[in-house]
Amino acid sequence: VAGARVEVAALEGTFTQATYTTEDGSFAFAAVPEAVLVTVYRGESLGEIAARVDLEVEQGKILGIIGAN
């Protein structure tokens, strides 16, 4: 989904970042902590959560999140 807001927050500590998905629905963060909460908001309604998931991120891994309808 193009234009969806994606927020990443550390499960421990104060790290937070946000970005918007590109035309093809992809997004990227350069670096995140090991344990994060990823929240995706619908592009047309930024107050509405489309998906929320806790993730364990291995250093150097590229992740894909599917199913944020």
Side-chain angles (χ1 to χ4, degrees), residues 1 12 24 36 40 47 51 53:
V1 175
E12 294 184 17
D24 68 359
V36 294
V40 180
V53 62

Side-chain angles (χ1 to χ4, degrees), residues 22 24 26 44 64:
T22 62
D24 68 359
S26 64
E44 67 278 358

Side-chain angles (χ1 to χ4, degrees), residues 8-9 15-18 28-34 36 57-61:
V8 175
F15 175 90
T16 60
Q17 284 190 353
F29 293 97
V32 297
E34 276 185 16
V36 294
V57 181
E58 291 184 44
Q59 186 174 4
K61 290 284 187 174

Side-chain angles (χ1 to χ4, degrees), residues 6-21:
V6 181
E7 296 178 356
V8 175
L11 294 180
E12 294 184 17
T14 60
F15 175 90
T16 60
Q17 284 190 353
T19 192
Y20 289 86
T21 58

